[in-house]
PDB file of all heavy atoms in Angstrom:
ATOM      1  N   SER B  83      -6.437   0.117  17.025  1.00 98.00           N
ATOM      2  CA  SER B  83      -5.790   1.395  16.746  1.00 98.00           C
ATOM      3  C   SER B  83      -4.741   1.130  15.637  1.00 98.00           C
ATOM      4  O   SER B  83      -3.884   0.293  15.812  1.00 98.00           O
ATOM      5  CB  SER B  83      -5.104   1.962  17.993  1.00 98.00           C
ATOM      6  OG  SER B  83      -6.140   2.284  19.015  1.00 98.00           O
ATOM      7  N   ALA B  84      -4.927   1.957  14.588  1.00 97.00           N
ATOM      8  CA  ALA B  84      -3.986   1.824  13.382  1.00 97.00           C
ATOM      9  C   ALA B  84      -4.458   2.821  12.423  1.00 97.00           C
ATOM     10  O   ALA B  84      -5.448   3.467  12.556  1.00 97.00           O
ATOM     11  CB  ALA B  84      -4.104   0.335  12.835  1.00 97.00           C
ATOM     12  N   THR B  85      -3.665   2.879  11.290  1.00 97.00           N
ATOM     13  CA  THR B  85      -4.173   3.658  10.117  1.00 97.00           C
ATOM     14  C   THR B  85      -4.762   2.681   9.105  1.00 97.00           C
ATOM     15  O   THR B  85      -4.181   1.572   8.893  1.00 97.00           O
ATOM     16  CB  THR B  85      -3.034   4.407   9.452  1.00 97.00           C
ATOM     17  OG1 THR B  85      -2.493   5.363  10.418  1.00 97.00           O
ATOM     18  CG2 THR B  85      -3.461   5.071   8.178  1.00 97.00           C
ATOM     19  N   TYR B  86      -5.999   2.984   8.639  1.00 98.00           N
ATOM     20  CA  TYR B  86      -6.713   2.212   7.715  1.00 98.00           C
ATOM     21  C   TYR B  86      -6.617   2.837   6.413  1.00 98.00           C
ATOM     22  O   TYR B  86      -7.038   3.953   6.097  1.00 98.00           O
ATOM     23  CB  TYR B  86      -8.144   1.947   8.187  1.00 98.00           C
ATOM     24  CG  TYR B  86      -8.201   1.044   9.452  1.00 98.00           C
ATOM     25  CD1 TYR B  86      -8.024   1.594  10.678  1.00 98.00           C
ATOM     26  CD2 TYR B  86      -8.359  -0.316   9.291  1.00 98.00           C
ATOM     27  CE1 TYR B  86      -8.039   0.872  11.787  1.00 98.00           C
ATOM     28  CE2 TYR B  86      -8.305  -1.113  10.487  1.00 98.00           C
ATOM     29  CZ  TYR B  86      -8.216  -0.556  11.654  1.00 98.00           C
ATOM     30  OH  TYR B  86      -8.114  -1.350  12.821  1.00 98.00           O
ATOM     31  N   LEU B  87      -6.162   2.136   5.331  1.00 98.00           N
ATOM     32  CA  LEU B  87      -5.910   2.525   4.024  1.00 98.00           C
ATOM     33  C   LEU B  87      -6.887   1.890   3.041  1.00 98.00           C
ATOM     34  O   LEU B  87      -7.203   0.688   3.216  1.00 98.00           O
ATOM     35  CB  LEU B  87      -4.492   2.222   3.558  1.00 98.00           C
ATOM     36  CG  LEU B  87      -3.293   2.875   4.184  1.00 98.00           C
ATOM     37  CD1 LEU B  87      -1.993   2.178   3.950  1.00 98.00           C
ATOM     38  CD2 LEU B  87      -3.243   4.314   3.845  1.00 98.00           C
ATOM     39  N   CYS B  88      -7.412   2.712   2.105  1.00 97.00           N
ATOM     40  CA  CYS B  88      -8.257   2.213   1.107  1.00 97.00           C
ATOM     41  C   CYS B  88      -7.549   2.300  -0.214  1.00 97.00           C
ATOM     42  O   CYS B  88      -6.782   3.272  -0.400  1.00 97.00           O
ATOM     43  CB  CYS B  88      -9.516   3.005   1.074  1.00 97.00           C
ATOM     44  SG  CYS B  88     -10.578   2.828  -0.362  1.00 97.00           S
ATOM     45  N   ALA B  89      -7.703   1.334  -1.113  1.00 95.00           N
ATOM     46  CA  ALA B  89      -6.989   1.429  -2.399  1.00 95.00           C
ATOM     47  C   ALA B  89      -8.045   0.935  -3.503  1.00 95.00           C
ATOM     48  O   ALA B  89      -8.757  -0.065  -3.225  1.00 95.00           O
ATOM     49  CB  ALA B  89      -5.724   0.611  -2.478  1.00 95.00           C
ATOM     50  N   VAL B  90      -7.974   1.489  -4.647  1.00 92.00           N
ATOM     51  CA  VAL B  90      -8.855   1.094  -5.759  1.00 92.00           C
ATOM     52  C   VAL B  90      -7.986   0.619  -6.902  1.00 92.00           C
ATOM     53  O   VAL B  90      -6.942   1.199  -7.135  1.00 92.00           O
ATOM     54  CB  VAL B  90      -9.835   2.146  -6.230  1.00 92.00           C
ATOM     55  CG1 VAL B  90     -10.760   2.560  -5.142  1.00 92.00           C
ATOM     56  CG2 VAL B  90      -9.125   3.408  -6.728  1.00 92.00           C
ATOM     57  N   GLN B  91      -8.366  -0.389  -7.540  1.00 88.00           N
ATOM     58  CA  GLN B  91      -7.698  -0.919  -8.661  1.00 88.00           C
ATOM     59  C   GLN B  91      -8.533  -0.936  -9.943  1.00 88.00           C
ATOM     60  O   GLN B  91      -9.649  -1.390  -9.930  1.00 88.00           O
ATOM     61  CB  GLN B  91      -7.241  -2.348  -8.433  1.00 88.00           C
ATOM     62  CG  GLN B  91      -6.322  -2.944  -9.423  1.00 88.00           C
ATOM     63  CD  GLN B  91      -5.882  -4.349  -8.948  1.00 88.00           C
ATOM     64  OE1 GLN B  91      -6.746  -5.169  -8.656  1.00 88.00           O
ATOM     65  NE2 GLN B  91      -4.606  -4.601  -8.969  1.00 88.00           N
ATOM     66  N   ALA B  92      -8.024  -0.184 -11.008  1.00 81.00           N
ATOM     67  CA  ALA B  92      -8.800  -0.148 -12.250  1.00 81.00           C
ATOM     68  C   ALA B  92      -7.927  -0.612 -13.396  1.00 81.00           C
ATOM     69  O   ALA B  92      -6.688  -0.639 -13.259  1.00 81.00           O
ATOM     70  CB  ALA B  92      -9.163   1.310 -12.474  1.00 81.00           C
ATOM     71  N   ALA B  93      -8.507  -0.973 -14.461  1.00 68.00           N
ATOM     72  CA  ALA B  93      -7.792  -1.365 -15.665  1.00 68.00           C
ATOM     73  C   ALA B  93      -7.245  -0.144 -16.349  1.00 68.00           C
ATOM     74  O   ALA B  93      -8.000   0.510 -17.039  1.00 68.00           O
ATOM     75  CB  ALA B  93      -8.701  -2.156 -16.562  1.00 68.00           C
ATOM     76  N   SER B  94      -5.994   0.145 -16.101  1.00 62.00           N
ATOM     77  CA  SER B  94      -5.410   1.372 -16.714  1.00 62.00           C
ATOM     78  C   SER B  94      -4.273   0.940 -17.659  1.00 62.00           C
ATOM     79  O   SER B  94      -3.150   0.572 -17.159  1.00 62.00           O
ATOM     80  CB  SER B  94      -4.888   2.363 -15.610  1.00 62.00           C
ATOM     81  OG  SER B  94      -4.124   3.396 -16.233  1.00 62.00           O
ATOM     82  N   GLY B  95      -4.558   0.842 -18.893  1.00 58.00           N
ATOM     83  CA  GLY B  95      -3.547   0.380 -19.808  1.00 58.00           C
ATOM     84  C   GLY B  95      -3.165  -1.089 -19.609  1.00 58.00           C
ATOM     85  O   GLY B  95      -2.039  -1.502 -19.965  1.00 58.00           O
TER      86      GLY B  95
END
Side-chain angles (χ1 to χ4, degrees):
Chain B
S83 298
T85 295
Y86 291 85
L87 295 164
C88 168
V90 296
Q91 190 175 51
S94 174

